[in-house]
Amino acid sequence: MDWFLGTDTATQKLVGMAVAILLFVVVMGVILLAVDRPRRVPRWVVVAAFVGPALLLLAFGLVYPGIVTIRASFYDKAGSTFVGLDNFVTAFTNEQFLIVLRNTAVWVLLVPVAATAFGLIYAVVVDKSRWEKLAKALVFLPMAISMVGASIIWKFVYEFRPDQPGVNQIGLLNQLLVWLGIPPQQFLITQPQNTIFLIVVLIWIQTGFAMTLLAAAIRAIPDDIVEAARLDGLTGLGMFRYITVPSIRPALVVVLTTIAITTLKVFDIVRTMTGGQFGTSVVANEFYTQSFRQNNAGLGAALAVILFVLVIPIVWYNIRQMRLSEDVR
């Protein structure tokens, strides 16, 4: 039994994963069979059979860890001594963590707005054009790449080599600078603009998501509204400002808030490209660093709680807007 439950080797991990999947399939099969066999089953039994496993998974995989994390945020790095709000005071007063919070704020302000703006403009420009499908596919392709994969791609784009005879630049951006007679730059090291260069990666990824949703919303605008606007003399920017944008406002809100939530949780890009060094760390990356690199469980938990609190109002606003849009329909 110890061998099956162990995680010392790759084989043990694979066997443990296979056993867990098989156990899940067996349990769900037994539940479905038990519900389907009797002719008359009380409604509460059916509800419990289908909803119960999901609620248990949420309780053990989300609620319980959340409670443990909140509790740990009030204890010291070893988790043995109660320190009250000291970890939160450190997070909001220490210069290192103030830079982390500043970077997170810059990410949340720039990424949703830029990605949504680019996605909206692109969706309007290519709408009903001859190469619409191909154009949309090209912009959506980055969404199919993992954030780690995208980070590696852009790390090569930003790659720096010393400006010396016989040394060739392998970074696309620096090679372009050399061709223009400009010295190569260390894009990922120079502060504070290195944060902006990291932000570009997420904008590149999320623009396809924004374009897809907004293009669908634009297609859903009733033709009679568009025709009436044209009869009134609206064209070009006037049509975009007074018809397109107001008509797709619910979709815009959903896109903005969804990308904002994704941005708050950004970890892969920062970890892969800079490791949080050179003043580029964000809350999600610092939470990982403090918890698993510095072994400061209390401060890491406090940062996780801060991240959770920041996400709540965005999620609430998103849900509220979705309900309002449904009421209008």
Side-chain angles (χ1 to χ4, degrees):
M1 180 62 70
D2 292 338
W3 189 90
F4 281 100
L5 297 178
T7 57
D8 297 331
T9 66
T11 303
Q12 288 178 319
K13 292 179 181 180
L14 290 174
V15 171
M17 180 181 68
V19 170
I21 294 174
L22 181 61
L23 183 62
F24 174 78
V25 172
V26 170
V27 170
M28 290 304 300
V30 170
I31 293 174
L32 294 175
L33 183 62
V35 171
D36 187 60
R37 286 292 296 275
R39 293 183 178 179
R40 295 182 179 180
V41 180
R43 182 179 294 272
W44 69 268
V45 174
V46 177
V47 173
F50 285 99
V51 180
L55 291 178
L56 287 175
L57 289 174
L58 283 174
F60 285 102
L62 185 63
V63 177
Y64 175 71
I67 294 173
V68 171
T69 301
I70 293 173
R71 179 185 178 278
S73 67
F74 297 106
Y75 284 78
D76 65 351
K77 62 184 301 181
S80 57
T81 304
F82 182 80
V83 295
L85 297 175
D86 287 357
N87 290 320
F88 294 95
V89 172
T90 301
F92 286 105
T93 57
N94 185 281
E95 184 178 357
Q96 172 190 350
F97 297 114
L98 288 177
I99 294 175
V100 170
L101 294 174
R102 180 204 67 188
N103 290 341
T104 304
V106 172
W107 277 80
V108 174
L109 288 174
L110 293 183
V111 174
V113 174
T116 303
F118 290 143
L120 176 58
I121 294 172
Y122 196 83
V124 172
V125 170
V126 304
D127 184 46
K128 297 179 181 179
S129 64
R130 182 178 180 183
W131 305 100
E132 178 183 0
K133 293 182 179 179
L134 177 61
K136 289 181 178 180
L138 291 175
V139 175
F140 186 76
L141 275 178
M143 284 292 297
I145 306 174
S146 69
M147 288 197 181
V148 173
S151 301
I152 294 173
I153 292 172
W154 279 89
K155 195 171 183 179
F156 278 111
V157 173
Y158 295 141
E159 187 65 30
F160 168 82
R161 289 289 184 271
D163 188 14
Q164 299 175 357
V167 176
N168 297 320
Q169 297 294 328
I170 64 172
L172 175 62
L173 197 52
N174 271 319
Q175 184 60 61
L176 291 175
L177 292 180
V178 170
W179 284 339
L180 295 173
I182 303 173
Q185 305 294 318
Q186 294 184 331
F187 296 105
L188 298 180
I189 295 179
T190 307
Q191 303 182 41
Q193 55 264 38
N194 51 0
T195 295
I196 303 300
F197 290 115
L198 296 183
I199 287 174
V200 169
V201 181
L202 189 57
I203 293 174
W204 180 68
I205 296 172
Q206 293 296 322
T207 296
F209 167 77
M211 180 271 301
T212 303
L213 267 65
L214 296 177
I218 292 172
R219 283 296 183 93
I221 299 175
D223 292 335
D224 54 348
I225 295 179
V226 176
E227 293 299 328
R230 286 176 178 168
L231 290 175
D232 289 339
L234 283 179
T235 57
L237 290 177
M239 180 74 72
F240 176 78
R241 178 180 177 183
Y242 296 107
I243 301 299
T244 303
V245 173
S247 298
I248 64 172
R249 182 180 179 278
L252 281 171
V253 172
V254 171
V255 170
L256 278 168
T257 52
T258 303
I259 296 178
I261 293 171
T262 303
T263 305
L264 276 172
K265 300 183 297 180
V266 68
F267 168 80
D268 316 62
I269 295 174
V270 175
R271 197 73 202 171
T272 303
M273 298 186 72
T274 64
Q277 301 179 67
F278 317 116
T280 59
S281 188
V282 292
V283 172
N285 179 74
E286 197 63 30
F287 150 67
Y288 169 84
T289 300
Q290 294 297 326
S291 297
F292 303 107
R293 296 290 183 180
Q294 304 296 330
N295 294 319
N296 192 336
L299 186 55
L303 291 169
V305 172
I306 292 172
L307 186 63
F308 176 70
V309 172
L310 291 175
V311 169
I312 288 177
I314 301 177
V315 173
W316 174 82
Y317 182 75
N318 196 352
I319 295 174
R320 181 173 177 272
Q321 291 300 315
M322 291 178 67
R323 289 179 176 176
L324 289 174
S325 63
E326 290 177 357
D327 291 340
V328 172
R329 292 177 184 176

